[in-house]
């Protein structure tokens, strides 16, 4: 009987873990993502442009694309370094220079009736404590936000809409819609992003099931 309970618990843990590992259907969205420049490559930002405060010499990127979340988001296609972007902007005391790359995406990702502008690189010279969002605003107005502070448009593109669903475009993905915390702030949502539990949470539940069952078995064994 005891062994049966342990086996049942292990099987339950395996089933729960299997749910986390299985592919999820995630709806795609059209939105701006935020990236940190890393030499000649990009890393998805772990903070949003409103909170991250880049040091002088940093490069920050923005890309408009259709994707199912941060794991699948398209990176900026330009990877110009700071020297290439800001070589014509002399340093000033009390100010910092931030390289800004703005990739408006492809025609295939554009909303109906719009054509994406060409990719831009700008050197923002801002106050030493300025955020990446303030640096962006210094070189790419007008910006448009929604009521949840989600970044909807850069330099007026797109003209309307904000993180809109792309109808009929579903594919397996590890994360889904950009929330106001994930897309506007540039980080990833704490949950799985598709309305369900994350793999970490489900895996944790599985571990608790196994450890709890083992503890009960050991206690009963000692009493026996």
């Amino acid at each position: 009987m005891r062994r049966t309970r342990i086996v049942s618990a292990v099987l339950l843990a395996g089933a729960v873990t299997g749910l986390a590992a299985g592919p999820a259907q995630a709806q795609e969205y059209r939105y701006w993502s935020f990236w940190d420049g890393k030499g000649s490559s990009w890393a998805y930002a772990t903070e949003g442009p409103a909170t991250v405060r880049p040091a002088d010499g940093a490069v920050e990127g923005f890309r408009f694309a259709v994707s199912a979340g941060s794991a699948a988001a398209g990176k900026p296609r330009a990877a110009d370094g700071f020297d290439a972007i800001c070589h014509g902007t002399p340093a000033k005391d009390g100010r910092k220079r931030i390289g800004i790359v703005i990739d408006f995406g492809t025609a295939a990702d554009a909303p109906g009736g719009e054509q994406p502008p060409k990719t831009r690189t700008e050197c923002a010279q801002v106050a030493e404590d300025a955020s990446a969002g303030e640096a962006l605003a210094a070189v790419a107005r007008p910006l448009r936000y929604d009521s949840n502070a989600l970044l909807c448009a850069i330099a007026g593109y797109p003209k309307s809409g904000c993180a809109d669903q792309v109808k009929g475009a579903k594919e397996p993905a590890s994360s889904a819609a950009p929330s106001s915390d994930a897309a506007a702030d540039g980080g990833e949502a704490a949950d799985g992003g598709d309305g369900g539990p994350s793999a970490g949470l489900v895996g944790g539940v599985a571990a608790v099931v196994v450890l709890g069952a083992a503890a009960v078995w050991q206690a009963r064994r000692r009493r026996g």
Side-chain angles (χ1 to χ4, degrees):
M1 179 67 175
R2 294 172 186 168
R3 241 172 236 237
T4 301
R5 289 177 179 174
I6 297 299
V7 171
S8 297
V10 172
L11 289 175
L12 174 60
V16 173
T17 305
L19 288 175
Q25 291 294 320
Q27 174 66 52
E28 290 186 322
Y29 292 77
R30 180 182 287 113
Y31 70 103
W32 282 101
S33 57
F34 176 47
W35 302 81
D36 291 323
K38 303 292 183 183
S40 60
S41 62
W42 296 101
Y44 197 87
T46 57
E47 289 185 63
T51 58
V52 67
R53 300 188 183 279
D56 180 77
V59 176
E60 306 295 340
F62 298 83
R63 169 73 189 268
F64 189 76
V66 171
S67 78
S70 60
K75 300 177 181 180
R77 290 167 294 172
D80 296 343
F82 174 79
D83 291 339
I85 297 172
C86 289
H87 69 278
T89 305
K92 289 184 180 179
D93 290 340
R95 309 282 286 178
K96 65 181 178 183
R97 294 171 298 166
I98 308 298
I100 302 291
V101 175
I102 307 167
D103 186 341
F104 295 90
T106 66
D109 289 342
E114 295 197 55
Q115 287 294 324
K118 293 182 179 180
T119 297
R120 290 169 49 182
T121 59
E122 304 283 353
C123 186
Q125 191 163 65
V126 291
E128 290 180 331
D129 63 346
S131 68
E134 290 170 323
L136 176 66
V139 297
R141 291 183 182 276
L143 305 182
R144 178 166 55 85
Y145 293 87
D146 73 357
S147 59
N148 295 313
L150 184 67
L151 179 60
C152 304
I154 296 176
Y157 182 82
K159 295 178 181 178
S160 62
C162 195
D164 296 331
Q165 288 188 7
V166 179
K167 295 181 180 179
K170 286 190 176 183
E171 62 180 23
S174 60
S175 57
S179 67
S180 58
D181 292 332
D185 293 341
E188 295 185 35
D191 63 9
D194 57 359
S198 67
L201 176 60
V202 176
V205 171
V208 169
V209 170
V210 172
L211 293 176
V216 170
W217 180 72
Q218 289 287 353
R220 290 182 177 178
R221 185 180 180 186
R222 286 196 295 272
R223 286 201 300 271

